[in-house]
Amino acid sequence: MTMRTRGSARTAAAAAVAAVLVLSGCGGGDGAGEEPKQQEQAEQQDGDDGDDGDEEGSASDDEARDQESRDRIAEDEARSITGEGLDGVWESIVDDNDIETLTITGDTVETTGPLSCPGTVTGAADPEPVIELACDVENLNRVRGTLELNEEGNRLFIGWEGQAWGGMIDSMIRVG
């Protein structure tokens, strides 16, 4: 009879230990015993609840880029001069552009930079004058385009003809 009582006591003790383990989550919150997907989700949630330093860094990086952009625009505005018509010297607002400057005199055009070549402007008095470059260097992105002058006469936009999605756009400021 003693053996039977010991066996029952062992069974009861084992059942109690099993119940405690089940109720406590079998191994605590360290992910042991969890399925890999559940553990990954728990780690991801822990990371989401943690330090937001990366988001703050991104926000400050965005603010720095925005300020840099505003500074660049203000600098361009300060360097640009107003004028009437297309005649003048125009400088790209983008560093390392294929066209660094564009000089328009009447119906003739001359570019400098990696794409240095002559060209023509037709319909200078029209709402959408057309520019055509005759370059020795092949550049299919900048052959023919339309010119648009802003109201102040200090910015020139060139919409180059291109593929079905459109073409390149050059933005320039009047510097001469």
Side-chain angles (χ1 to χ4, degrees), residues 38-49:
Q38 290 172 333
Q39 184 175 355
E40 183 180 317
Q41 289 173 344
E43 289 171 359
Q44 195 173 32
Q45 185 174 10
D46 289 344
D48 291 346
D49 295 340

Side-chain angles (χ1 to χ4, degrees), residues 69-90:
S69 178
R70 286 190 295 271
D71 291 346
R72 176 72 186 248
I73 290 169
E75 180 184 317
D76 286 347
E77 287 298 321
R79 290 182 327 125
S80 71
I81 59 174
T82 57
E84 291 188 30
L86 297 173
D87 285 357
V89 179
W90 301 90

Side-chain angles (χ1 to χ4, degrees), residues 94-113:
V94 178
D95 293 333
D96 300 323
N97 193 14
D98 285 347
I99 298 175
E100 291 174 6
T101 65
L102 171 76
T103 303
I104 301 174
T105 309
D107 62 352
T108 63
V109 174
E110 189 69 37
T111 64
T112 65

